[in-house]
Amino acid sequence: MVKMEDIGARILAGDHQVQYGQNQRTKIKALVVDDNMINQALHRTLLRNLGIENHVVGNGREAVDVHCSGRRFDLILMDLDMPVMNGIEATKKLRAMGIQSTIAGVSSRSVDENIQEFWEAGLDDYQQKPLNFPKLVSILQKVNHSV
Amino acid sequence: MESNNNSLRQQIADMRQSLFDEEMLDRHYRTVEELSDKDHPNFAEEVMTMYFRDSTKLIAIFENALENAPFNFIVLDKYLHQLKGSSASIGAKKVWEKINEMRDCLRERDIEGTRTVLQQLKKEHDNLRGRIEPYFRMLRQVGPSEIAQRPK
């Protein structure tokens, strides 16, 4: 099986045709949680180009609901500022439900701004938007593909 | 025919480079471009079209909200946060910078300052649209192979 780190190294060297789905028995599944349509399109396409199956919801409440319906994901890309339910509340709720997926906070706030509360809600990683291939690879290296 | 196409490609490359040289776009736009592939050759254009459609609406809503007191500074900042997010994601550097200036004015409760910077923002936004739309029109003329040859 191809190691995540080797795939990541190839992507960072400019090979964007490498697929995280190759040589895996099941494809990695990701959930994009973001209220901004531009970011939804960008994150979906970044994931798709890496062969990662993905689903999109528009706020934290929808992220919780999709899990209540029984769906599970290896990776959740969680925006912070969203209407209805923000990323902090959604992350707390998902962890309280026993969801062990890798949750990466993705927000326009820099690491210098106060994102401590977001981390404490249960994140595994945090990247400042906009996402790009190197940042996504860095997140993917934390994914434990056991879903 | 071949030399016409080469001349068109050079024009397109120059148009694109000038957007970066003049700092109207930054490196985040390169990520948007990289996401175009043979299955979605017009991805960058689709995203930029979506951006201008949404940002134009949001700017109009914001301008309207700034017309009359009382001003809801939380709501005003939320509009700007949304606009900032989209602008940053597509690499609209000058637009993003103006949004940050406006947010600073709002933090100081400086409505007149906000209005002044809003007009500058609209100018940068229109400038970017005025440059990117002809760029995409020309890109469509040369076809998808331009994407494979686009300099990194």
Side-chain angles (χ1 to χ4, degrees), chain B residues 3-137:
Chain B
S3 70
N4 277 348
N5 233 12
N6 286 342
S7 155
L8 192 55
R9 286 177 201 284
Q10 188 55 54
Q11 231 181 311
I12 290 167
D14 291 344
M15 282 171 92
R16 178 184 174 277
Q17 189 56 43
S18 71
L19 289 165
F20 290 107
D21 292 344
E22 293 172 42
E23 297 189 332
M24 295 175 84
L25 291 175
D26 67 19
R27 61 193 165 85
H28 298 301
Y29 181 71
R30 290 194 174 98
T31 302
V32 177
E33 283 183 323
E34 282 171 2
L35 294 174
S36 295
D37 59 20
K38 59 175 168 45
D39 295 325
H40 303 87
N42 301 317
F43 180 77
E45 185 178 359
E46 287 163 14
V47 168
M48 295 305 278
T49 302
M50 203 189 314
Y51 168 73
F52 282 112
R53 187 192 61 216
D54 291 353
S55 57
T56 301
K57 237 186 274 177
L58 209 43
I59 289 170
I61 291 171
F62 183 84
E63 190 164 25
N64 195 49
L66 215 50
E67 298 269 283
N68 303 301
F71 304 108
N72 186 329
F73 290 97
I74 293 174
V75 167
L76 287 172
D77 190 63
K78 273 200 164 84
Y79 292 143
L80 290 185
H81 178 81
Q82 255 185 283
L83 191 57
K84 180 185 154 186
S86 304
S87 303
S89 291
I90 57 104
K93 186 167 192 270
K94 285 190 172 175
V95 173
W96 182 85
E97 284 170 352
K98 287 298 165 193
I99 296 166
N100 277 341
E101 280 183 49
M102 285 169 71
R103 290 187 93 188
D104 289 341
C105 288
L106 277 184
R107 263 191 283 272
E108 303 289 318
R109 302 294 193 255
D110 177 7
I111 291 294
E112 277 317 305
T114 308
R115 286 183 181 133
T116 302
V117 183
L118 175 61
Q119 297 312 312
Q120 295 166 5
L121 164 73
K122 286 168 73 177
K123 188 167 169 240
E124 294 296 348
H125 185 259
D126 288 344
N127 280 350
L128 179 59
R129 178 165 35 198
R131 296 280 291 274
I132 208 116
E133 283 176 351
Y135 165 70
F136 281 125
R137 270 198 299 274

Side-chain angles (χ1 to χ4, degrees), chain A residues 111-127:
Chain A
V111 291
D112 298 327
E113 292 176 77
N114 191 8
I115 54 161
Q116 188 58 29
E117 198 185 350
F118 203 4
W119 271 109
E120 286 170 359
L123 295 182
D124 297 294
D125 196 3
Y126 180 86
Q127 292 287 347

Side-chain angles (χ1 to χ4, degrees), chain A residues 31 57 59-72 84-85 93-94 97:
Chain A
L31 176 68
V57 293
N59 60 60
R61 165 51 58 197
E62 291 177 10
V64 170
D65 289 348
V66 81
H67 282 85
C68 288
S69 74
R71 290 187 71 172
R72 293 293 178 266
V84 185
M85 185 186 288
K93 277 208 159 31
L94 290 172
M97 285 164 63

